[in-house]
């Protein structure tokens, strides 16, 4: 009998011929979160990944916590693997039941699945057998097949796996199996949430941040690096492109009507992000915009911003209220980084009354005062890349 | 060009003297015993601490047993104020301080007021000096303790604390007088001889090219103090905790170097500060000097009109030039400096105030670099003002 973590994945199972591709990606992503922190072995068997860790209970807890952040996984269970000897499986069931009893639980049931039909008992038979032996050996427990406080799961495969306690993981699709995107990270609450949501749908992400030295502090940049680092727990390694944006901002400020500042600035940002995306083979941009949240996110503004690029722009927060985004930000632990009080580049030069219903023709007219594409190219030449 | 380092934030912390760092490394590596242990290895550490204490006592012209090592200026100030206040807990007398103290003093006094102590925070005038009349008027027969800084950490203003202490004691001789001398120790002659009216004095290692994490509190013999940190009874039970041997030795060594070169350093610093003012005058439009006429040449507080100091600071930082806005401890907070506010610095200047603080190795080249970059960026910062 040995301990291990039993990982179940959901949506990947539905994929037809591509399934091995998704499974391999998932295994790579699991390895990545364990690499460096644990000594482990990993194996796969139809719909399951098994991970044994060299370490005690607390090491298992830590590993399970990390693994549960890998997209594509539905649950992580703390399991025992035994030989095909039914006695050994029963022993594992008893051990788990007495652990659960110690943790204060009183009612249980046993549920057996038997993909391997060579096992001598049928599923129901084995559940009854194991349940009986648990009742004989662990005092203070009773069976409740409808609403048990814990369920002993027995899976009979090439080996037998027994587990009760499971933690829920994020679901979704393994990062990297839906292509690549570039997220515009501002340092606020929304953009990391947007990144998280798209990573959940399998998008591998690189990030771009617009830094306005000396108007924004090094601490603001540090904040975005910390956000990217936090996201990398979910998204895998992130390359953060830090664009020196000051000169572009000043030019826009000088040459364009002030009520259009934000919108033109955002169009330049989108174009720069799109060029970065093209250069790394990414096929989409990701932003944290939410309809009507601020002046630059009205329907008209989104249209004008969007028109600067031809690549698809994913805005997973578009239909969310602020508090919904905050809930997710708290769940993924980016919230308290996002609310650090440093200014981002969008808040430096703002008009008192920014336009809320910009018209594309008028914006294009204003942009004639600046060398829009030249500005983009210049910014692309002044980028610092940090890998987190 | 960008690899240069022009460090003008020496009131926040200083670059350690290489010999000091080397000596500390040696002690940390080889003389690791606990100075309380009675074996040879412990005695080795004990001797280092004892000799260091002697060196510092000599600089302060006091007795070695009046010097207590702490973790730095903040602890020294807390130990002095809370220690003295709690020793007089039954009467809970009045505690007097000034508006331009360091937060370690101001906040400690504020928290003592919540324990029921009557407190008075003496205002300062436009030139950045204490309103002495208000100060003396506040002294009554219930006054327990007064704490006034020797050199202000934001403006460099120098206070003749001995004179103040003497006058306050003429009104009430039983007052215990403490001074936060963190920006003065090593740089000025602070004589704690019997005729001095100062009862307690705080100093710190890293402001004089010594190590961080070590400071001292001088406590005149006979001053009643309750220890802040209790435990194994180290340092006569006044401050428990294994002595930081390397830190203490480094502190004493740095203090001794400053002390020996005091006059030479002072001449050099005056010359450098004058040069800085001269260059500002010649090169830069729209600035005022917030430091008073008579102030420590180690610190110059300058405010530029119509800019945010933070933006200037960021720009300079990108060029390898380091200054601070207000005092470094509070420069990450958004509000303007409490000292400058108390001094009534005009609105268009107060948010553009920076502190340039020098050290004996600061040269004219450093000043030139600072002036050059500042002069170049100011017009741009004024044109594009952050909201």
């Amino acid at each position: 009998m040995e301990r291990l973590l039993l990982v179940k994945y959901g949506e990947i199972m539905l994929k037809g011929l591509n399934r091995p591709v998704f499974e391999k990606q998932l295994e790579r992503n699991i390895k990545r979160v364990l690499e460096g922190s644990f000594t482990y072995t990993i194996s796969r068997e139809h719909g399951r990944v098994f991970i044994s860790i060299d370490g005690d209970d607390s090491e298992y807890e830590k590993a399970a916590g990390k693994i549960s952040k890998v997209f594509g996984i539905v649950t992580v269970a703390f399991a025992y693997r035994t030989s095909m000897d039914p006695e050994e499986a029963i022993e594992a069931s008893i051990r788990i039941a007495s652990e659960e009893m110690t943790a204060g639980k009183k009612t249980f049931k046993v549920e057996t699945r038997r993909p391997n039909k060579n096992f001598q008992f049928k599923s129901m038979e084995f559940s009854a057998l194991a349940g009986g032996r648990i009742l004989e050996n662990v005092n203070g427990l009773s069976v409740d097949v409808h609403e048990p406080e814990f369920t002993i799961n027995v899976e009979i495969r090439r080996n037998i796996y027994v587990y009760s306690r499971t933690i829920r993981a994020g679901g979704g699709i393994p990062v990297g199996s839906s292509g690549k995107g570039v997220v515009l990270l501002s340092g606020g609450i929304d953009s990391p949430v947007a990144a998280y949501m798209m990573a959940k749908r399998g998008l591998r992400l690189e990030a771009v941040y617009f830094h306005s030295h000396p108007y924004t502090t090094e601490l603001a940049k540090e904040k975005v690096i910390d956000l990217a680092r936090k996201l990398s727990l979910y998204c895998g390694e992130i390359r953060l492109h830090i664009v020196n944006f000051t000169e572009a901002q000043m030019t826009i400020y000088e040459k364009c009507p002030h009520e259009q500042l934000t919108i033109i600035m955002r169009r330049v940002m989108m174009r720069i992000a799109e060029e970065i995306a093209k250069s790394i083979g990414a096929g989409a941009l990701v932003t944290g915009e939410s309809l009507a949240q601020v002046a630059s996110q009205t329907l008209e503004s989104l249209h004008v911003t969007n028109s600067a690029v031809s690549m698809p722009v994913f805005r997973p927060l578009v239909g969310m209220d602020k508090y919904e985004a905050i809930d997710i930000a708290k769940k993924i632990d980016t919230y308290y980084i996002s609310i650090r009080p440093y200014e981002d580049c969008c808040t430096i030069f703002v008009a008192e009354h920014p336009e809320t219903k910009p018209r594309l023709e008028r914006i294009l007219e204003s942009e004639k005062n600046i060398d829009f594409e030249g500005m983009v190219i210049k910014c692309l030449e002044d980028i610092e890349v940090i890998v987190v | 060009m960008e690899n240069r380092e022009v460090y003008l934030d020496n009131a926040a912390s200083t670059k350690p003297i290489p010999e000091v760092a080397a000596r500390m490394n040696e002690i940390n590596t080889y003389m690791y015993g606990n100075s309380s242990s009675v074996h040879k290895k412990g005695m080795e550490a004990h001797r280092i601490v004892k000799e260091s204490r002697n060196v510092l006592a000599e600089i302060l012209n006091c007795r070695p047993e009046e010097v207590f090592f702490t973790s730095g200026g903040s602890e020294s100030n807390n130990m002095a104020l809370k220690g003295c206040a709690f020793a007089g807990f039954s009467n809970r007398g009045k505690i007097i301080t000034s508006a331009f103290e360091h937060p370690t003093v101001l906040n400690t006094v504020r928290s003592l007021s919540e324990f029921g102590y009557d407190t008075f925070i003496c205002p300062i005038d436009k030139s950045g000096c204490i309103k002495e009349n208000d100060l003396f008027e506040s002294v009554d027969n219930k006054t327990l303790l007064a704490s006034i800084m020797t050199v202000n950490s934001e403006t460099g203003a120098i206070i003749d604390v001995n004179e103040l202490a003497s006058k306050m004691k003429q009104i009430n001789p039983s007052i215990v007088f403490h001074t936060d001398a963190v920006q003065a120790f090593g740089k000025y002659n602070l004589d704690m001889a019997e005729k001095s009216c100062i009862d307690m004095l705080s100093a710190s290692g890293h402001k004089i090219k010594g190590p961080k994490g070590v400071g001292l509190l001088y406590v005149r013999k006979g001053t009643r103090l309750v220890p802040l940190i209790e435990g194994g009874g180290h340092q006569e039970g006044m401050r428990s905790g294994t002595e930081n041997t390397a830190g203490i030795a480094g502190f004493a060594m740095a203090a001794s170097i400053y002390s020996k070169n005091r006059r030479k350093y002072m001449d050099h610093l005056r010359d450098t500060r004058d040069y800085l003012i001269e260059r500002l005058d010649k090169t830069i439009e729209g600035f005022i000097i917030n430091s008073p006429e008579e102030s420590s040449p180690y610190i110059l507080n300058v405010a530029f009109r119509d800019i945010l100091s933070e933006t200037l600071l960021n720009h300079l930082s990108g060029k390898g030039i380091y200054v601070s806005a207000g005092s470094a401890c509070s420069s990450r907070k958004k509000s303007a400096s409490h000292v400058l506010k108390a001094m009534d610095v005009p609105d268009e200047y107060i948010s553009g105030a920076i502190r340039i603080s020098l050290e004996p190795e600061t040269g004219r080249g450093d000043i030139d670099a600072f002036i050059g970059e500042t002069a170049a960026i100011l017009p741009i910062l004024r044109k594009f003002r952050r909201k």
Side-chain angles (χ1 to χ4, degrees), chain B residues 325-346:
Chain B
S327 79
C329 305
S330 57
S331 64
R332 281 182 193 173
K333 296 172 200 157
K334 287 269 160 181
S335 62
S337 135
H338 68 284
V339 175
L340 300 184
K341 266 189 196 158
M343 284 168 62
D344 262 342
V345 174

PDB file of all heavy atoms in Angstrom, chain B residues 325-346:
ATOM      1  N   ALA B 325      12.150  61.841  -0.809  1.00  0.00           N
ATOM      2  CA  ALA B 325      11.101  62.835  -0.654  1.00  0.00           C
ATOM      3  C   ALA B 325      10.723  62.832   0.808  1.00  0.00           C
ATOM      4  O   ALA B 325      10.424  61.782   1.347  1.00  0.00           O
ATOM      5  CB  ALA B 325       9.891  62.459  -1.497  1.00  0.00           C
ATOM      6  N   GLY B 326      10.745  63.961   1.447  1.00  0.00           N
ATOM      7  CA  GLY B 326      10.490  63.974   2.890  1.00  0.00           C
ATOM      8  C   GLY B 326      11.557  63.143   3.566  1.00  0.00           C
ATOM      9  O   GLY B 326      12.719  63.238   3.213  1.00  0.00           O
ATOM     10  N   SER B 327      11.187  62.283   4.496  1.00  0.00           N
ATOM     11  CA  SER B 327      12.174  61.359   5.049  1.00  0.00           C
ATOM     12  C   SER B 327      11.840  59.979   4.518  1.00  0.00           C
ATOM     13  O   SER B 327      10.694  59.661   4.252  1.00  0.00           O
ATOM     14  CB  SER B 327      12.160  61.388   6.571  1.00  0.00           C
ATOM     15  OG  SER B 327      11.096  60.627   7.052  1.00  0.00           O
ATOM     16  N   ALA B 328      12.887  59.165   4.326  1.00  0.00           N
ATOM     17  CA  ALA B 328      12.721  57.897   3.622  1.00  0.00           C
ATOM     18  C   ALA B 328      11.673  57.004   4.271  1.00  0.00           C
ATOM     19  O   ALA B 328      10.960  56.287   3.594  1.00  0.00           O
ATOM     20  CB  ALA B 328      14.049  57.169   3.552  1.00  0.00           C
ATOM     21  N   CYS B 329      11.575  57.077   5.593  1.00  0.00           N
ATOM     22  CA  CYS B 329      10.621  56.204   6.284  1.00  0.00           C
ATOM     23  C   CYS B 329       9.204  56.516   5.854  1.00  0.00           C
ATOM     24  O   CYS B 329       8.341  55.670   5.878  1.00  0.00           O
ATOM     25  CB  CYS B 329      10.697  56.399   7.789  1.00  0.00           C
ATOM     26  SG  CYS B 329      12.338  56.180   8.419  1.00  0.00           S
ATOM     27  N   SER B 330       8.947  57.761   5.471  1.00  0.00           N
ATOM     28  CA  SER B 330       7.565  58.107   5.184  1.00  0.00           C
ATOM     29  C   SER B 330       7.341  58.407   3.713  1.00  0.00           C
ATOM     30  O   SER B 330       6.252  58.753   3.306  1.00  0.00           O
ATOM     31  CB  SER B 330       7.141  59.307   6.025  1.00  0.00           C
ATOM     32  OG  SER B 330       7.997  60.381   5.773  1.00  0.00           O
ATOM     33  N   SER B 331       8.373  58.256   2.866  1.00  0.00           N
ATOM     34  CA  SER B 331       8.219  58.704   1.486  1.00  0.00           C
ATOM     35  C   SER B 331       7.331  57.782   0.671  1.00  0.00           C
ATOM     36  O   SER B 331       6.968  58.088  -0.436  1.00  0.00           O
ATOM     37  CB  SER B 331       9.568  58.884   0.817  1.00  0.00           C
ATOM     38  OG  SER B 331      10.223  57.660   0.730  1.00  0.00           O
ATOM     39  N   ARG B 332       6.983  56.615   1.189  1.00  0.00           N
ATOM     40  CA  ARG B 332       6.057  55.761   0.453  1.00  0.00           C
ATOM     41  C   ARG B 332       4.611  56.104   0.782  1.00  0.00           C
ATOM     42  O   ARG B 332       3.690  55.558   0.237  1.00  0.00           O
ATOM     43  CB  ARG B 332       6.332  54.293   0.750  1.00  0.00           C
ATOM     44  CG  ARG B 332       7.519  53.830  -0.057  1.00  0.00           C
ATOM     45  CD  ARG B 332       7.828  52.410   0.126  1.00  0.00           C
ATOM     46  NE  ARG B 332       9.144  52.159  -0.444  1.00  0.00           N
ATOM     47  CZ  ARG B 332       9.782  51.028  -0.344  1.00  0.00           C
ATOM     48  NH1 ARG B 332       9.228  50.027   0.289  1.00  0.00           N
ATOM     49  NH2 ARG B 332      10.965  50.877  -0.876  1.00  0.00           N
ATOM     50  N   LYS B 333       4.441  57.000   1.743  1.00  0.00           N
ATOM     51  CA  LYS B 333       3.083  57.438   2.040  1.00  0.00           C
ATOM     52  C   LYS B 333       2.797  58.665   1.190  1.00  0.00           C
ATOM     53  O   LYS B 333       3.684  59.428   0.858  1.00  0.00           O
ATOM     54  CB  LYS B 333       2.950  57.778   3.527  1.00  0.00           C
ATOM     55  CG  LYS B 333       3.163  56.561   4.407  1.00  0.00           C
ATOM     56  CD  LYS B 333       3.218  56.978   5.854  1.00  0.00           C
ATOM     57  CE  LYS B 333       3.887  55.916   6.694  1.00  0.00           C
ATOM     58  NZ  LYS B 333       4.423  56.484   7.930  1.00  0.00           N
ATOM     59  N   LYS B 334       1.542  58.840   0.872  1.00  0.00           N
ATOM     60  CA  LYS B 334       1.218  59.866  -0.103  1.00  0.00           C
ATOM     61  C   LYS B 334       1.203  61.287   0.462  1.00  0.00           C
ATOM     62  O   LYS B 334       1.367  62.238  -0.262  1.00  0.00           O
ATOM     63  CB  LYS B 334      -0.139  59.550  -0.741  1.00  0.00           C
ATOM     64  CG  LYS B 334      -0.055  58.385  -1.714  1.00  0.00           C
ATOM     65  CD  LYS B 334       0.235  58.865  -3.109  1.00  0.00           C
ATOM     66  CE  LYS B 334       0.798  57.712  -3.946  1.00  0.00           C
ATOM     67  NZ  LYS B 334       1.135  58.077  -5.279  1.00  0.00           N
ATOM     68  N   SER B 335       0.980  61.415   1.740  1.00  0.00           N
ATOM     69  CA  SER B 335       0.805  62.757   2.279  1.00  0.00           C
ATOM     70  C   SER B 335       2.130  63.508   2.388  1.00  0.00           C
ATOM     71  O   SER B 335       3.193  62.912   2.465  1.00  0.00           O
ATOM     72  CB  SER B 335       0.143  62.672   3.640  1.00  0.00           C
ATOM     73  OG  SER B 335       0.978  61.951   4.511  1.00  0.00           O
ATOM     74  N   ALA B 336       2.038  64.822   2.371  1.00  0.00           N
ATOM     75  CA  ALA B 336       3.237  65.632   2.476  1.00  0.00           C
ATOM     76  C   ALA B 336       3.823  65.493   3.883  1.00  0.00           C
ATOM     77  O   ALA B 336       3.152  65.084   4.820  1.00  0.00           O
ATOM     78  CB  ALA B 336       2.908  67.081   2.179  1.00  0.00           C
ATOM     79  N   SER B 337       5.097  65.843   3.998  1.00  0.00           N
ATOM     80  CA  SER B 337       5.809  65.688   5.258  1.00  0.00           C
ATOM     81  C   SER B 337       5.173  66.484   6.393  1.00  0.00           C
ATOM     82  O   SER B 337       4.774  67.636   6.217  1.00  0.00           O
ATOM     83  CB  SER B 337       7.243  66.145   5.037  1.00  0.00           C
ATOM     84  OG  SER B 337       7.664  66.955   6.089  1.00  0.00           O
ATOM     85  N   HIS B 338       5.086  65.862   7.567  1.00  0.00           N
ATOM     86  CA  HIS B 338       4.470  66.552   8.706  1.00  0.00           C
ATOM     87  C   HIS B 338       5.329  67.720   9.159  1.00  0.00           C
ATOM     88  O   HIS B 338       4.825  68.714   9.654  1.00  0.00           O
ATOM     89  CB  HIS B 338       4.195  65.571   9.859  1.00  0.00           C
ATOM     90  CG  HIS B 338       5.433  65.034  10.523  1.00  0.00           C
ATOM     91  ND1 HIS B 338       6.218  64.056   9.956  1.00  0.00           N
ATOM     92  CD2 HIS B 338       6.014  65.346  11.706  1.00  0.00           C
ATOM     93  CE1 HIS B 338       7.229  63.791  10.774  1.00  0.00           C
ATOM     94  NE2 HIS B 338       7.135  64.546  11.828  1.00  0.00           N
ATOM     95  N   VAL B 339       6.619  67.608   8.950  1.00  0.00           N
ATOM     96  CA  VAL B 339       7.517  68.698   9.357  1.00  0.00           C
ATOM     97  C   VAL B 339       7.301  69.910   8.451  1.00  0.00           C
ATOM     98  O   VAL B 339       7.130  71.035   8.914  1.00  0.00           O
ATOM     99  CB  VAL B 339       8.991  68.245   9.323  1.00  0.00           C
ATOM    100  CG1 VAL B 339       9.911  69.408   9.628  1.00  0.00           C
ATOM    101  CG2 VAL B 339       9.213  67.103  10.307  1.00  0.00           C
ATOM    102  N   LEU B 340       7.284  69.644   7.124  1.00  0.00           N
ATOM    103  CA  LEU B 340       7.116  70.759   6.195  1.00  0.00           C
ATOM    104  C   LEU B 340       5.738  71.390   6.336  1.00  0.00           C
ATOM    105  O   LEU B 340       5.575  72.601   6.201  1.00  0.00           O
ATOM    106  CB  LEU B 340       7.350  70.293   4.757  1.00  0.00           C
ATOM    107  CG  LEU B 340       8.739  69.722   4.481  1.00  0.00           C
ATOM    108  CD1 LEU B 340       8.883  69.378   3.017  1.00  0.00           C
ATOM    109  CD2 LEU B 340       9.847  70.692   4.896  1.00  0.00           C
ATOM    110  N   LYS B 341       4.743  70.556   6.620  1.00  0.00           N
ATOM    111  CA  LYS B 341       3.407  71.094   6.852  1.00  0.00           C
ATOM    112  C   LYS B 341       3.436  72.035   8.050  1.00  0.00           C
ATOM    113  O   LYS B 341       2.870  73.125   8.008  1.00  0.00           O
ATOM    114  CB  LYS B 341       2.416  69.962   7.109  1.00  0.00           C
ATOM    115  CG  LYS B 341       1.685  69.505   5.872  1.00  0.00           C
ATOM    116  CD  LYS B 341       0.575  68.539   6.287  1.00  0.00           C
ATOM    117  CE  LYS B 341       0.066  67.764   5.104  1.00  0.00           C
ATOM    118  NZ  LYS B 341      -0.588  66.516   5.547  1.00  0.00           N
ATOM    119  N   ALA B 342       4.094  71.577   9.099  1.00  0.00           N
ATOM    120  CA  ALA B 342       4.177  72.390  10.312  1.00  0.00           C
ATOM    121  C   ALA B 342       4.907  73.696  10.028  1.00  0.00           C
ATOM    122  O   ALA B 342       4.670  74.713  10.674  1.00  0.00           O
ATOM    123  CB  ALA B 342       4.876  71.607  11.420  1.00  0.00           C
ATOM    124  N   MET B 343       5.792  73.670   9.020  1.00  0.00           N
ATOM    125  CA  MET B 343       6.562  74.870   8.692  1.00  0.00           C
ATOM    126  C   MET B 343       5.820  75.787   7.730  1.00  0.00           C
ATOM    127  O   MET B 343       6.348  76.825   7.327  1.00  0.00           O
ATOM    128  CB  MET B 343       7.903  74.485   8.059  1.00  0.00           C
ATOM    129  CG  MET B 343       8.918  73.972   9.057  1.00  0.00           C
ATOM    130  SD  MET B 343      10.328  73.206   8.218  1.00  0.00           S
ATOM    131  CE  MET B 343      10.972  74.582   7.297  1.00  0.00           C
ATOM    132  N   ASP B 344       4.619  75.379   7.307  1.00  0.00           N
ATOM    133  CA  ASP B 344       3.825  76.226   6.423  1.00  0.00           C
ATOM    134  C   ASP B 344       4.493  76.475   5.075  1.00  0.00           C
ATOM    135  O   ASP B 344       4.443  77.584   4.534  1.00  0.00           O
ATOM    136  CB  ASP B 344       3.546  77.589   7.085  1.00  0.00           C
ATOM    137  CG  ASP B 344       2.172  77.607   7.709  1.00  0.00           C
ATOM    138  OD1 ASP B 344       1.367  76.732   7.327  1.00  0.00           O
ATOM    139  OD2 ASP B 344       1.922  78.480   8.566  1.00  0.00           O
ATOM    140  N   VAL B 345       5.122  75.478   4.519  1.00  0.00           N
ATOM    141  CA  VAL B 345       5.726  75.613   3.193  1.00  0.00           C
ATOM    142  C   VAL B 345       4.584  75.839   2.190  1.00  0.00           C
ATOM    143  O   VAL B 345       3.574  75.153   2.248  1.00  0.00           O
ATOM    144  CB  VAL B 345       6.535  74.342   2.837  1.00  0.00           C
ATOM    145  CG1 VAL B 345       7.041  74.393   1.402  1.00  0.00           C
ATOM    146  CG2 VAL B 345       7.694  74.164   3.807  1.00  0.00           C
ATOM    147  N   PRO B 346       4.718  76.806   1.264  1.00  0.00           N
ATOM    148  CA  PRO B 346       3.621  77.112   0.343  1.00  0.00           C
ATOM    149  C   PRO B 346       3.174  75.890  -0.467  1.00  0.00           C
ATOM    150  O   PRO B 346       3.984  75.027  -0.793  1.00  0.00           O
ATOM    151  CB  PRO B 346       4.221  78.172  -0.595  1.00  0.00           C
ATOM    152  CG  PRO B 346       5.405  78.709   0.103  1.00  0.00           C
ATOM    153  CD  PRO B 346       5.886  77.668   1.052  1.00  0.00           C
TER     154      PRO B 346
END
